[in-house]
Amino acid sequence: MARFVLWGTYCSNALEKRTPFREEHLSRLKSLKQQGTLITLGPTEGSTHVFGIFEAENLTTVRDLVESDVYWKQGIWTNVEVYPWIQAF
């Protein structure tokens, strides 16, 4: 398994727009965490950016996970970049 870093942005009205989708989003993240795929994920202060670390077979798997998330589908995440990560420490 490889690790991947996610860095992205939220829409300008993310706090309001996410409200009807928040429970679905958090429930899915909890499931991914329990499976060991998601290491951590969350917003920066002010909810302008999102940061995450995933463990998966490949980059395509992580991109598929992101694109199937309700926050991506509903435009709450406006841009997401995923990079292979080499954990030094």
Side-chain angles (χ1 to χ4, degrees):
M1 291 287 202
R3 288 207 171 173
F4 300 87
V5 174
L6 173 146
W7 186 250
T9 55
Y10 283 93
C11 64
S12 61
N13 59 342
L15 295 178
E16 298 90 31
K17 190 171 182 179
R18 74 179 185 185
T19 300
F21 310 106
R22 187 160 167 75
E23 287 306 315
E24 178 183 345
H25 173 69
L26 294 177
S27 175
R28 183 168 179 271
L29 294 179
K30 182 178 180 180
S31 176
L32 291 173
K33 180 98 169 142
Q34 290 171 341
Q35 294 170 18
T37 304
L38 177 64
I39 306 303
T40 190
L41 187 124
T44 58
E45 189 172 324
S47 295
T48 58
H49 291 82
V50 60
F51 172 80
I53 299 172
F54 290 82
E55 190 167 86
E57 289 292 327
N58 54 54
L59 185 60
T60 301
T61 299
V62 178
R63 289 189 190 277
D64 290 346
L65 288 172
V66 169
E67 291 174 3
S68 63
D69 191 282
V70 68
Y71 276 19
W72 179 256
K73 290 180 179 179
Q74 295 298 323
I76 297 161
W77 289 339
T78 56
N79 182 52
V80 174
E81 299 291 333
V82 180
Y83 303 97
W85 180 45
I86 301 168
Q87 184 175 358
F89 294 98

